[in-house]
Amino acid sequence: MTTDFPRSPRPAEETSPQDHAFIGMWITEDGHIRHELLPNGRYDEARGTRQSAYRGRYRVTGDIIQYWDDTGFYADGRFRDGVLYHAGYVFYRETE
């Protein structure tokens, strides 16, 4: 899914704390990809058995999430009806 939100370069400011309802773990239906959105403005993504496959900063504005991977990769996504749509994947909030 692509969004209408304009792409932006890596933010110049340091990671800023996030205060939104989306903090926590988001997983694909098969559990293969897991995004943990941390309250400090960082994310940690696991893929399969590979823990911390990708890490970086993120920012949520409204229902849009922007990711800046530590390697320089940029991506975005959108939360809709309690579901995260990101890079062609669908993520659901992990429930305990």
Side-chain angles (χ1 to χ4, degrees):
M1 171 184 175
T2 57
T3 66
D4 295 331
F5 200 73
R7 290 185 175 253
S8 63
R10 180 182 292 261
E13 69 273 3
E14 291 298 314
T15 302
S16 58
Q18 297 287 296
D19 182 23
H20 51 75
F22 307 118
I23 291 170
M25 184 67 75
W26 294 82
I27 61 174
T28 54
E29 188 172 27
D30 63 3
H32 183 73
I33 304 174
R34 298 168 306 283
H35 283 196
E36 185 173 11
L37 302 180
L38 302 167
N40 65 357
R42 302 275 301 167
Y43 74 91
D44 192 315
E45 178 181 318
R47 289 190 174 228
T49 59
R50 186 174 168 207
Q51 296 297 318
S52 300
Y54 299 98
R55 292 179 177 174
R57 295 193 268 176
Y58 78 92
R59 178 175 57 209
V60 171
T61 306
D63 64 350
I64 300 294
I65 184 168
Q66 295 172 283
Y67 297 92
W68 294 272
D69 184 279
D70 288 342
T71 66
F73 179 78
Y74 169 85
D76 64 8
R78 183 177 301 252
F79 295 95
R80 187 176 302 140
D81 298 324
V83 177
L84 169 57
Y85 298 89
H86 163 66
Y89 294 99
V90 178
F91 292 84
Y92 302 93
R93 184 179 292 278
E94 181 178 60
T95 56
E96 295 183 42

